[in-house]
Amino acid sequence: MRQYIFASHAHFATGIKESTELLSGARDNVHDLSMFVDGRADVAEEAAKLLATFDPADDVIVCTDLFGGSVNNEFTKIVQTRPNTYLVANMNLPLLIQLLFSDQEAPADQVIREILAADDTRVKFVNDLLTDADDEEEF
């Protein structure tokens, strides 16, 4: 089975999980880990407790809020020791929706690479898109 962990500083992980549920429905294999709030101060401890609930053979895709942040750094250590664990930083809603609707039988690392390479998961500066559209209309 494939498990997903959305992990962040403050309540971002909980909020973005709620957003994915609005769009894709609630799923038993999607978990949020909001750190440094509600008594959660030790990322390593909280991550270990959550990971202990999974089958060791499960693929685990962890998406964190900020590359190089404390939450991401703790999961970087876990990825180095737990097999079948994949870490993606700088999560956003399009990324998460695509992950949840991806082929669950395909290799996790392949799915992640394809989604990250897709244009629709990237951040966009809409002003430039509007300018580009205006330029095209002139021709």
Side-chain angles (χ1 to χ4, degrees):
M1 176 166 213
R2 189 166 287 166
Q3 302 286 344
Y4 298 90
I5 300 172
F6 306 158
S8 72
H9 299 83
H11 294 286
F12 179 61
T14 302
I16 203 161
K17 178 183 178 221
E18 289 174 5
S19 293
T20 63
E21 288 174 347
L22 178 70
L23 299 169
S24 71
R27 298 169 184 232
D28 292 336
N29 64 333
V30 178
H31 314 272
D32 59 286
L33 194 56
S34 294
M35 293 304 308
F36 312 111
V37 291
D38 304 326
R40 289 180 163 170
D42 188 330
V43 179
E45 178 183 328
E46 295 294 331
K49 283 194 285 190
L50 181 56
L51 289 166
T53 68
F54 301 159
D55 185 306
D58 284 349
D59 279 347
V60 178
I61 298 177
V62 181
C63 297
T64 62
D65 57 348
L66 181 64
F67 179 73
S70 56
V71 175
N72 183 261
N73 290 344
E74 284 302 322
F75 275 102
T76 299
K77 296 172 191 173
I78 292 167
V79 165
Q80 295 172 351
T81 59
R82 187 188 185 282
N84 304 318
T85 304
Y86 308 91
L87 180 59
V88 179
N90 302 333
M91 70 176 152
N92 61 37
L93 191 56
L95 163 73
L96 301 180
I97 294 299
Q98 287 190 44
L99 281 171
L100 295 178
F101 283 105
S102 67
D103 179 357
Q104 300 298 297
E105 300 302 316
D109 58 336
Q110 174 185 325
V111 168
I112 293 166
R113 285 184 181 98
E114 288 174 4
I115 291 170
L116 293 180
D119 188 50
D120 47 354
T121 56
R122 295 185 184 158
V123 175
K124 293 170 182 35
F125 184 36
V126 176
N127 293 50
D128 285 348
L129 296 174
L130 293 172
T131 301
D132 292 345
D134 290 343
D135 291 345
E136 288 177 14
E137 287 178 12
E138 290 178 13
F139 292 106

